[in-house]
């Protein structure tokens, strides 16, 4: 079959199963209000949990650094792309999260594949939660290590996989907060398990930082664990920190090894110095302006309480991610469209991002939402979920 024929077949297959994805064009947004198709939609699909992507101080830090350093870094970090804002960010982040060292990379996807491909090898074994982010799975699969996965949050199954692993390089890897379910890994159990099996515990806290923990430092803080107990922490910066890139936090030996030999780091242009400056400012805000975190927590509590009263089919979650289960792709798409007609932007999440038959609307809350925005959402959801014309 020719490539053209093969592609046509795949496109037809996607259409048949309601799996076609489209990009909606959004205009310049103000807070969670987003111009789209000639209207303004209230956005409940953004990962900008604290509103830092548009915070004046973060924008100003970005602008000032771009003025000074230009836009692009114009090189990989080891050749000529490493500037003062990168170094400053790495030092600030290491100190804030309590780690010896930090490496700032171009994306979370890159960070996870870099770590796993570099630190795992043919005689290694990597145990992961089945709902881990795609890049943790991809990174491990490409590393040559043996990869086994346990059912979501099943600690007994995880324990059994660790016990069976015959290697002196065992990695236990999990999201801190699961990106499509909004629930949290049991970091205390994972940490005890790692210690018992002499495994390296690696946590990706993309949706925990800025959301969980007493001062918003994430899942590790919420679990009361230290850098010794979670020796590898990845903080993607595209969510609550409002920018791009990812911070890899670990001990000096691990960071040095990645710096020397992680191919995705070595052979990729360093992120913009201006972005590093923006992320440093976001971290500063996290510490010095706790009202953003407090407002997010307040919005989450308010939504969870009201949604429970209204009997909405939410998965249990106390994070910014609140999944509303639809089941079929067709129903998720129908609900999403009906909400958009009511001025609300909530994209339908379908396989392969979630398992078959578990399509959903992934509601995300932000410190930028006003209480009346949440009321508007709840009223629209009551309306749409009661629609008898929705497909099964
Ligand atoms: C978004 C995300 C990533 C990827 O980060 P990018 O910077 O977008 O590449 C990795 N892990 C998790 C859990 C994520 O949610």
């Amino acid at each position: 079959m020719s490539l053209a024929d093969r592609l046509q077949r795949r496109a037809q297959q996607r259409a048949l199963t309601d799996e076609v994805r489209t990009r909606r064009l959004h205009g310049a947004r103000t807070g969670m209000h987003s111009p789209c198709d000639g209207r303004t939609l209230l956005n409940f699909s953004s990962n900008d949990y604290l509103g830092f992507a548009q915070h004046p101080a973060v924008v100003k830090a970005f602008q000032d650094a771009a003025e000074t350093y230009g836009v692009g870094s114009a090189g990989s970090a080891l050749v000529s792309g490493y500037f003062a804002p990168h170094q400053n960010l790495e030092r600030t982040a290491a100190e804030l999260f309590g780690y010896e060292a930090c490496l700032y990379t171009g994306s979370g996807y890159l960070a996870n594949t870099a770590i796993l491909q570099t630190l795992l090898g043919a005689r290694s074994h990597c145990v992961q939660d089945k709902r881990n982010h795609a890049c943790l799975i991809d990174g491990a699969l490409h590393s040559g290590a043996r990869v086994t996965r346990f059912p979501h949050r099943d600690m007994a199954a995880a324990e059994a996989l660790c016990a069976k692993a015959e290697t002196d390089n065992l990695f236990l890897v999990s999201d801190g907060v699961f990106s499509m379910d909004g629930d949290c890994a049991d970091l205390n159990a994972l940490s005890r398990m790692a210690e018992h099996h002499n495994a390296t515990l690696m946590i990706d806290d993309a949706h925990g930082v800025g959301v969980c923990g007493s001062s918003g430092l994430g899942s590790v803080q919420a679990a009361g664990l230290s850098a010794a107990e979670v020796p590898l922490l990845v903080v993607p910066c595209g969510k609550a920190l409002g920018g791009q890139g990812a911070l890899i936090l670990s001990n000096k030996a691990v960071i040095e090894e990645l710096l020397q030999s992680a191919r995705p780091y070595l052979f990729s242009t360093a992120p913009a110095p201006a972005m590093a400056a923006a992320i440093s400012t976001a971290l500063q805000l996290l510490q010095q302006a706790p009202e953003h975190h407090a407002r997010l927590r307040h919005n989450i509590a308010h939504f969870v309480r009201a949604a429970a009263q209204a009997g909405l089919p939410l998965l249990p979650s106390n994070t910014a991610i609140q999944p509303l289960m639809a089941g079929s792709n067709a129903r998720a798409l129908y609900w999403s469209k009906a909400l958009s007609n009511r001025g609300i932007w909530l994209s339908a999440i379908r396989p392969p991002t979630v398992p078959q038959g578990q399509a959903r609307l992934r509601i995300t809350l932000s410190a930028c939402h006003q209480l009346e925005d949440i009321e508007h959402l709840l009223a629209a959801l009551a309306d749409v979920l009661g629609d008898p014309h929705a497909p099964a």
Side-chain angles (χ1 to χ4, degrees):
M1 200 188 294
S2 73
L3 177 62
D5 288 343
R6 198 155 39 233
L7 298 184
Q8 195 189 13
R9 249 225 210 163
R10 287 167 62 156
Q12 282 166 346
Q13 186 60 35
R14 276 196 297 271
L16 278 174
T17 53
D18 288 318
E19 288 185 25
V20 178
R21 293 149 187 253
T22 50
R23 297 178 296 177
R24 293 277 292 272
L25 192 60
H26 291 267
R29 61 199 195 272
T30 311
M32 289 296 136
H33 297 266
S34 194
C36 188
D37 295 341
R39 294 178 308 146
T40 297
L41 296 178
L42 187 50
N43 189 349
F44 280 100
S45 285
S46 167
N47 292 327
D48 189 12
Y49 302 132
L50 297 172
F52 287 175
Q54 301 171 72
H55 192 288
V58 179
V59 173
K60 174 95 174 32
F62 187 95
Q63 287 170 329
D64 287 351
E67 194 78 54
T68 307
Y69 295 95
V71 170
S73 66
S76 73
L78 287 161
V79 177
S80 62
Y82 189 62
F83 295 90
H86 297 114
Q87 185 184 52
N88 180 44
L89 171 60
E90 291 176 345
R91 288 180 174 168
T92 306
E95 190 179 337
L96 180 61
F97 288 95
Y99 283 78
E100 272 180 19
C102 173
L103 196 67
Y104 177 52
T105 66
S107 77
Y109 198 108
L110 185 152
N112 285 330
T113 50
I115 293 168
L116 294 167
Q117 289 178 15
T118 308
L119 303 183
L120 294 174
R123 275 177 300 279
S124 310
H125 192 136
C126 185
V127 173
Q128 299 209 17
D129 189 295
K130 276 199 174 167
R131 298 275 172 89
N132 275 356
H133 192 270
C135 61
L136 290 169
I137 312 269
D138 293 358
L141 288 175
H142 295 158
S143 72
R146 180 140 190 268
V147 183
T148 48
R149 300 196 293 158
F150 56 89
H152 184 46
R153 293 176 73 215
D154 183 339
M155 291 297 101
E159 174 69 38
L161 292 179
C162 285
K164 264 205 325 226
E166 285 172 13
T167 175
D168 61 359
N169 190 28
L170 174 61
F171 267 55
L172 183 53
V173 179
S174 180
D175 285 19
V177 171
F178 291 88
S179 52
M180 295 301 139
D181 297 80
D183 53 356
C184 302
D186 185 345
L187 291 201
N188 289 293
L190 290 171
S191 152
R192 283 191 301 271
M193 205 180 299
E195 169 154 32
H196 183 239
H197 293 283
N198 203 13
T200 301
L201 180 59
M202 169 177 171
I203 298 297
D204 174 346
D205 210 21
H207 302 280
V209 167
V211 179
C212 302
S214 55
S215 64
L217 288 182
S219 306
V220 176
Q221 182 186 45
L225 295 173
S226 66
E229 290 157 309
V230 183
L232 257 166
L233 175 65
V234 178
V235 180
C237 305
K239 278 79 184 206
L241 298 179
Q244 277 186 324
L247 304 161
I248 302 174
L249 295 144
S250 192
N251 60 46
K252 284 184 183 154
V254 165
I255 295 300
E256 179 64 13
E257 178 66 18
L258 294 174
L259 179 67
Q260 295 298 331
S261 51
R263 295 171 64 86
Y265 183 73
L266 296 181
F267 299 111
S268 184
T269 300
M275 188 55 78
I279 302 296
S280 289
T281 301
L283 289 177
Q284 239 168 33
L285 282 174
L286 194 58
Q287 295 170 272
Q288 292 165 10
E291 63 271 20
H292 297 91
H293 181 232
R295 212 172 318 121
L296 172 65
R297 294 304 329 176
H298 183 69
N299 283 346
I300 294 170
H302 177 72
F303 176 79
V304 167
R305 209 178 317 115
Q309 272 167 13
L312 298 180
L314 289 177
L315 293 184
S317 156
N318 62 2
T319 68
I321 300 165
Q322 296 287 328
L324 182 78
M325 300 308 284
S328 71
N329 294 348
R331 174 180 274 204
L333 286 171
Y334 184 92
W335 282 355
S336 172
K337 182 137 193 298
L339 286 166
S340 138
N341 291 337
R342 288 165 177 77
I344 288 173
W345 178 242
L346 243 180
S347 58
I349 307 284
R350 288 158 287 160
T353 311
V354 292
Q356 288 290 342
Q358 294 187 28
R360 64 196 66 183
L361 301 182
R362 175 178 174 271
I363 299 166
T364 54
L365 299 165
S366 165
C368 285
H369 288 124
Q370 307 293 315
L371 283 185
E372 65 254 32
D373 296 336
I374 295 175
E375 294 308 322
H376 180 168
L377 171 67
L378 288 161
L381 285 174
D383 208 16
V384 166
L385 268 65
D387 179 349
H389 303 296

